[in-house]
Amino acid sequence: MIIRSCVGTPMDDGALAVACFSSETIVAIALASVLSGLVGTIVVLRRLVSLGGGIAHAAFGGVGLALALGFDPRLGAAAVAIGAAAVLAPVSRERIARQDAVIGVLWAVGMAVGMLLVSGAAGDTQVEELLFGDLGAVQRSDLAILGGLVVLVAAAIALFRRELAATAFDDEHARLRGLPVGLLSFALLLLVALSVVGLLSLVGIVLAIALLAIPPLIALRLFRSLPAIVLGGMAIAFLLSVAGLAVGQRFHLPAGPAIILLGGVLLSLAQLAPRRVLR
Amino acid sequence: MTEHAPLVELFGVSYRYGADLALDRVDLCVHAGDRWVLLGPNGGGKSTLARLILGLAAPSSGRLSRRRAIRAGYVPQVATFDRHFPVRVAEMVLEGRLSDRRWMRPFGTDDREATDDAIERLELASLRRAYLSELSGGELKRALVARALVARPELLVLDEPTAALDESSRRTLWSLVAALPAETSVILATHDLAPGTFAPTRAALVDRRLSAIALDSLHDHPLLCGHAHG
């Protein structure tokens, strides 16, 4: 049985046009939103957005390699993303901030490798799908993988929230307290890498980065406590994705760019709001 | 107390930032109960030496030995964390108790009581629910002192702890340090030590090299002009 959820978008004459999505699409958006709130908050607070972008684009190279070698592209993306996280984990936060050029190169090379290999193996259409995703074509197998990933990420954060938060906040003090900061930093980057890969197959590289950055950034503007920022980020990611998808349907635009543009507008509007109005 | 094994020992330790030599062949021994004051000009290497002692930096050359699992408290000269991270004062101070609890277990009543006590002593009670981004420089420094003390440190390293503190807060800080258990080692890195504040048992000048200073002439040292006895 296919269940469809519908939302209204305004038309030129003031009437509401109804946009409908499959239940798979809605569940995919909900799961992606959970990752956005949980992992995106870490990404934004630890200033790992450019690093997350680098991992995503490197993963795109992994997709290309897997397609060229005849593997499941998700495996290629996961292997490269986890490898990038392992290489970058020992690098301190300050050095990561200074090494933006290296991250930029990782970004560009991953992209170039991915585009060459993906277009050669699967054609330009798949390149576009991998860049921007196709939320309308979500399969149940995609949901199973994303659901498993959400459970894994949520469990890791729930079990080790104090240790992860202490490391994310002040890794120097966490080291003084005897916490295994290297391992925890790797765990944080691993969560980012896995989330990027999980989102990659659904919403594409560009939207994966946007979903990990924009909703938590808006939530940081509106909320003060960490739990409120995480939960607010989830809600904002969900509403943003549904609204972007509806606008995309209404104006015959691809969903990915519509969601990103809407997110950009909302983030700009959030900057106008009184700083952190909700404690 | 010096009959016991030292907490930290440095033998000919040098430290470089790239090509710049910050510390040159430093020897230092910290025993339980020592109260060291490390004097020296800005850029002389005091903070680097403090970080080496804490294990937050590794020597470029030489040998450094530390007793395993030292419970350390640290008040850095400049906080390296992001002040806009959504953490309240009480939450940050409570993190000083992290090593006293096993993984995945919540903080206990004793942790929270110790945190409340430290917050009270540092006169931060009205700010316990404030976010770090809302604090002045002096209030943040007091919160860092509270976090260091709540860890019940065996080794307390204070790096220019009175910078940004008003006179009342300075008095509070020195009275808290004086009230620490006798076996607690304290290392104070400062470019300026007023009489009647911190009572060191050992003193050294750090200006890339380390040289001992006699305690009886401490307050007459050229670095401390303006604080002569009397």
Side-chain angles (χ1 to χ4, degrees):
Chain A
M1 183 180 67
I2 296 174
I3 302 168
R4 298 182 75 78
S5 305
C6 300
V7 294
T9 53
M11 296 179 68
D12 296 338
D13 59 3
L16 279 181
V18 174
C20 296
F21 324 113
S22 69
S23 55
E24 282 85 354
T25 300
I26 292 294
V27 172
I29 289 174
L31 292 171
S33 301
V34 173
L35 284 183
S36 173
L38 286 174
V39 179
T41 302
I42 296 171
V43 167
V44 169
L45 288 175
R46 286 266 295 184
R47 301 175 194 272
L48 296 175
V49 175
S50 63
L51 189 63
I55 289 176
H57 285 75
F60 187 57
V63 168
L65 279 172
L67 282 172
L69 296 172
F71 292 108
D72 184 331
R74 282 176 296 215
L75 285 179
V80 171
I82 292 168
V87 168
L88 292 166
V91 181
S92 72
R93 238 188 321 181
E94 292 73 22
R95 280 184 62 198
I96 283 176
R98 287 200 301 269
Q99 289 184 346
D100 61 329
V102 175
I103 292 168
V105 170
L106 180 72
W107 190 302
V109 170
M111 192 73 191
V113 170
M115 288 192 82
L116 283 175
L117 294 177
V118 172
S119 62
D124 292 340
T125 310
Q126 191 152 6
V127 171
E128 193 179 320
E129 265 185 37
L130 284 162
L131 283 177
F132 294 108
D134 188 359
L135 270 170
V138 176
Q139 304 295 314
R140 286 189 177 245
S141 60
D142 295 327
L143 292 183
I145 291 171
L146 192 60
L149 185 60
V150 167
V151 169
L152 181 74
V153 168
I157 290 178
L159 286 173
F160 302 110
R161 63 187 178 282
R162 286 187 185 82
E163 291 79 7
L164 290 170
T167 303
F169 166 54
D170 188 352
D171 50 2
E172 198 166 77
H173 180 257
R175 184 173 291 122
L176 271 187
R177 299 272 59 79
L179 297 183
V181 169
L183 189 63
L184 288 164
S185 294
F186 174 60
L188 284 170
L189 281 187
L190 191 61
L191 293 180
V192 174
L194 290 175
S195 300
V196 162
V197 173
L199 294 171
L200 200 65
S201 56
L202 286 185
V203 297
I205 291 172
V206 179
L207 190 54
I209 302 159
L211 266 187
L212 288 179
I214 294 175
L217 278 171
I218 297 173
L220 263 172
R221 189 75 198 175
L222 299 177
F223 304 103
R224 303 212 71 157
S225 76
L226 197 51
I229 291 166
V230 170
L231 293 173
M234 288 180 195
I236 291 165
F238 185 80
L239 295 173
L240 182 63
S241 301
V242 170
L245 209 52
V247 168
Q249 278 196 13
R250 165 73 180 82
F251 296 103
H252 308 291
L253 299 169
I259 293 170
I260 294 171
L261 280 177
L262 196 58
V265 170
L266 281 180
L267 184 56
S268 303
L269 290 175
Q271 301 304 311
L272 301 176
R275 189 158 178 79
R276 288 169 175 174
V277 287
L278 306 170
R279 290 177 74 93
Chain B
M1 285 176 213
T2 51
E3 67 272 22
H4 297 301
L7 293 178
V8 185
E9 264 186 299
L10 288 80
F11 303 99
V13 164
S14 298
Y15 189 86
R16 290 179 181 277
Y17 291 100
D20 296 332
L21 185 63
L23 288 172
D24 185 15
R25 290 166 289 162
V26 168
D27 297 316
L28 182 73
C29 185
V30 182
H31 288 94
D34 280 351
R35 305 283 161 115
W36 272 98
V37 61
L38 303 176
L39 295 162
N42 293 331
K46 301 186 298 295
S47 297
T48 301
L49 181 54
R51 293 173 56 78
L52 285 164
I53 289 167
L54 287 164
L56 294 173
S60 303
S61 62
R63 189 161 68 83
L64 188 154
S65 65
R66 300 178 78 244
R67 211 197 65 200
R68 282 178 63 83
I70 297 173
R71 198 162 52 217
Y74 178 37
V75 179
Q77 181 178 10
V78 179
T80 54
F81 52 75
D82 178 5
R83 283 186 65 174
H84 291 284
F85 200 97
V87 173
R88 297 176 197 268
V89 168
E91 293 166 341
M92 187 188 83
V93 176
L94 187 58
E95 284 193 356
R97 302 288 283 193
L98 269 172
S99 55
D100 284 344
R101 50 182 289 284
R102 277 184 269 166
W103 282 53
M104 295 187 284
R105 287 185 63 180
F107 289 108
T109 309
D110 56 334
D111 298 321
R112 296 188 188 283
E113 284 174 356
T115 298
D116 288 343
D117 183 54
I119 285 173
E120 287 285 338
R121 284 170 187 269
L122 270 300
E123 296 160 14
L124 289 164
S126 62
L127 294 168
R128 66 189 320 281
R129 287 183 60 76
Y131 288 91
L132 300 188
S133 57
E134 298 169 333
L135 303 183
S136 68
E139 289 164 346
L140 179 65
K141 191 69 107 176
R142 281 189 277 145
L144 288 168
V145 173
R147 183 177 71 172
L149 292 179
V150 86
R152 291 179 300 173
E154 300 163 88
L155 172 64
L156 177 63
V157 176
L158 305 165
D159 191 357
E160 301 285 6
T162 54
L165 290 187
D166 58 26
E167 193 51 43
S168 162
S169 299
R170 288 177 189 217
R171 279 198 298 272
T172 302
L173 171 67
W174 296 130
S175 67
L176 288 171
V177 170
L180 287 170
E183 64 273 19
T184 303
S185 304
V186 182
I187 296 174
L188 169 66
T190 183
H191 68 281
D192 187 13
L193 181 67
T197 53
F198 178 67
T201 58
R202 292 168 176 237
L205 174 70
V206 184
D207 192 4
R208 201 162 70 175
R209 299 294 302 267
L210 187 139
S211 48
I213 302 175
L215 287 175
D216 54 4
S217 63
L218 184 61
H219 293 290
D220 297 323
H221 194 276
L223 272 169
L224 302 173
C225 55
H227 290 297
H229 282 297

